[in-house]
């Protein structure tokens, strides 16, 4: 009997401890001003705080107990749980209209993985303001050039002097004034929309540049977004109706990003609109005539999609009048130093911080990284660096720590020579050699790209025996 009483007391004590821990966890979730999500080993949500509800519009009653994949398709948290690696301060887009800085880590119990936790800080407004500021800055420069009577170079916002990017710019200049559709090909993040804007600015067309991401709009809403709808066309529709994006782009340019993701039914109606230069709003009976220049972009293999009947052949030929290929960043590494300095200048102006130098070791890492996300990834990294910067020098410690495990060893380290000074000198040699070659051995230009005084470059050339 005594043992029974002791056992009962132990169970009661354990229950009280568990209740206390749950109460403390609830207090922590309520106290932090970041969106917090905790999942178990099956990726089912076990905790979701009020900031997460405010950020994503999903209540805890809706999501707790359900698989997180039912609500999000682009998840860093599940990757962290699977790979058992934590990430800190990573820029992340969990869904198309949200931008966050995320800390995420797996949860271990002894040797067993029992889930993961993430805390996300919303920077959507900052990113959107930054994009608006970037566009406004471009418009101001163009306006100033017009006022001063100078010709506006629409392609000035496209940085780089490598052969691939220069060939694309040269082709763009030749076809800009033509009304012919232009299909821009290249991997995600290599600047297809930026290039399309430059084509529009150089075209002389007086209408607006209107962009639509074909992969971001639900199939059921695509037609009404593209063509608009007549008042009362369906339940909940505005009585006055609404103009579609095609109509808004009249006498301008309609840019169809990720054209390969366009619903099949919408492809038919778009082709007819392009051929007849008119269309009908959803629920409308009056033809709307438009004069629109079409730009399209994709990273997908449209030819293969045509063969599989996933993309209409007639629309493919209609759009593929002029094709521009944009090279991935890994194929234009000579442009990386210029892009780095331009990015630091831009984000420095946005956030009121000045980074004037790039450590050679950091530049070596930037040059060696494969950049799967291309220029978009590079600029995201640079923005994060500027946001978190405390000094005026970009150093290797400021770069994502996960890069270190993918970084190739210098030859001397690969041979077993682990002298730190020698290794550092070899990295500096490699960076200086690359930048000198890129600038045709113009030492003044090379020093400027390296972010160091010319006298320092001369000293390093002698010190590293590069004279």
């Amino acid at each position: 009997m005594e043992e029974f009483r002791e056992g009962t007391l132990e169970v009661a004590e354990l229950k009280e401890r568990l209740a206390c821990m749950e109460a403390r966890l609830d207090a922590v979730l309520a106290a932090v001003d970041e969106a917090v999500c905790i999942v178990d080993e099956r990726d089912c949500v076990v905790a979701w705080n009020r900031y997460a509800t405010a950020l994503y519009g999903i209540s805890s009653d809706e999501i707790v107990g359900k698989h997180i994949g039912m609500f999000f398709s682009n998840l860093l948290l599940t990757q962290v749980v699977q790979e058992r690696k934590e990430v800190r301060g990573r820029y992340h887009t969990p869904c198309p209209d949200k931008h966050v800085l995320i800390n995420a880590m797996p949860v271990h119990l002894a040797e067993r993985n029992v889930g993961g936790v993430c805390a996300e800080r919303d920077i959507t407004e900052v990113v959107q303001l930054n994009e608006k500021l970037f566009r406004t800055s471009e418009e101001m420069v163009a306006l100033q050039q017009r006022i001063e009577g100078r010709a506006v170079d629409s392609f000035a916002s496209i940085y780089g002097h490598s052969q691939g990017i220069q060939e694309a710019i040269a082709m763009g200049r030749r076809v800009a004034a033509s009304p012919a559709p232009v299909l821009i090909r290249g991997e995600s993040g290599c600047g297809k929309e930026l290039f399309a804007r430059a084509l529009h600015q150089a075209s002389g067309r007086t209408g607006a540049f209107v962009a639509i991401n074909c992969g971001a709009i639900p199939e059921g809403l695509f037609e009404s977004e593209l063509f608009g709808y007549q008042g009362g066309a369906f339940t909940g529709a505005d009585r006055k109706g609404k103009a579609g994006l095609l109509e808004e782009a009249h006498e301008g340019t309609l840019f169809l990003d990720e054209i390969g993701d366009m619903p099949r039914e919408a492809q038919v109606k778009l082709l007819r609109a392009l051929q007849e230069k008119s269309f009908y709003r959803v629920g409308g009976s009056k033809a709307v005539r438009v004069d629109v220049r079409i730009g399209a972009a994709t990273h997908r293999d449209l030819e293969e999609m045509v063969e599989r009947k996933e993309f209409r052949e007639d629309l493919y030929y209609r759009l593929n009048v002029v094709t521009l290929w944009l090279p991935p960043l890994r194929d234009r590494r000579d442009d990386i130093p210029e892009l780095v300095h331009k990015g630091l200048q831009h984000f420095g102006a946005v956030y009121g911080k000045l980074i004037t130098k790039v450590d050679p070791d950091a530049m070596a890492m930037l040059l060696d990284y494969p950049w799967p996300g291309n220029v978009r990834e590079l600029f995201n990294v640079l923005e994060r660096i500027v946001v978190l910067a405390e000094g005026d020098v970009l150093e290797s410690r400021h770069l994502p720590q996960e890069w270190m495990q993918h970084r190739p060893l210098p030859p001397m380290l690969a041979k077993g020579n682990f002298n730190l000074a020698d290794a550092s000198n070899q990295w500096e040699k490699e960076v200086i050699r690359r930048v000198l070659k890129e600038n045709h051995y113009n030492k003044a230009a090379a020093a400027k790209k390296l972010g160091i005084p010319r006298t320092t470059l001369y000293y390093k050339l002698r010190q590293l025996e590069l004279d």
Side-chain angles (χ1 to χ4, degrees), residues 58-280:
I58 303 170
S59 70
S60 59
D61 290 339
E62 293 176 86
I63 197 170
V64 171
K66 297 185 179 68
H67 194 284
I68 196 168
M70 294 173 59
F71 300 85
F72 301 95
S73 57
N74 178 26
L75 281 173
L76 187 61
L77 178 57
T78 54
Q79 178 184 336
V80 165
V81 174
Q82 291 167 4
E83 298 178 0
R84 299 192 173 194
K85 296 190 303 190
E86 69 176 77
V87 297
R88 292 192 174 276
R90 174 87 66 86
Y91 169 78
H92 184 49
T93 52
C95 50
D97 59 342
K98 296 296 180 184
H99 305 264
V100 301
L101 287 180
I102 182 173
N103 294 331
M105 62 188 303
V107 179
H108 301 298
L109 182 61
E111 296 299 320
R112 191 161 61 95
N113 190 355
V114 294
V117 58
C118 70
E120 302 174 3
R121 178 150 48 97
D122 185 14
I123 58 168
T124 304
E125 186 175 355
V126 172
V127 172
Q128 291 174 346
L129 286 173
N130 173 50
E131 291 173 350
K132 289 179 182 177
L133 181 61
F134 183 73
R135 289 194 294 269
T136 303
S137 175
E138 285 184 327
E139 292 169 2
M140 288 180 65
V141 170
L143 180 60
Q144 183 178 359
Q145 289 176 332
R146 290 192 186 98
I147 292 172
E148 294 176 359
R150 292 183 291 173
V152 178
D153 182 6
S154 302
F155 293 88
S157 59
I158 301 172
Y159 304 130
H161 294 86
S162 59
Q163 182 178 353
I165 203 69
Q166 286 301 310
E167 288 176 355
I169 290 174
M171 175 68 80
R173 293 187 198 281
R174 290 200 297 272
V175 304
S178 165
V182 176
L183 180 60
I184 306 174
R185 311 289 290 268
E187 296 179 3
S188 293
C190 62
K192 297 188 288 294
E193 182 172 345
L194 183 66
F195 212 97
R197 288 183 182 276
L199 283 169
H200 170 71
Q201 291 168 3
S203 69
R205 300 182 72 86
T206 58
F209 176 88
V210 178
I212 176 173
N213 188 324
C214 299
I217 300 176
E219 185 172 348
L221 298 177
F222 197 95
E223 187 178 346
S224 60
E225 285 291 318
L226 186 59
F227 300 108
Y229 56 83
Q230 203 63 29
F234 48 84
T235 304
D238 191 328
R239 290 183 179 180
K240 296 180 180 179
K242 180 179 179 293
L245 297 175
L246 190 59
E247 201 170 339
E248 290 178 8
H250 178 56
E251 296 185 341
T253 299
L254 177 66
F255 176 60
L256 300 164
D257 197 9
E258 299 302 345
I259 187 71
D261 294 330
M262 177 178 283
R264 181 98 177 162
E265 185 178 346
Q267 293 176 25
V268 180
K269 296 183 178 181
L270 174 63
L271 177 63
R272 187 181 300 121
L274 296 181
Q275 290 172 337
E276 300 176 1
K277 296 185 178 181
S278 65
F279 63 93
Y280 293 89

Side-chain angles (χ1 to χ4, degrees), residues 41-55:
E41 65 274 15
R42 297 170 301 160
D43 291 334
C44 290
V45 178
V46 295
W48 181 265
N49 72 349
R50 59 192 178 95
Y51 287 98
T53 295
L55 178 60

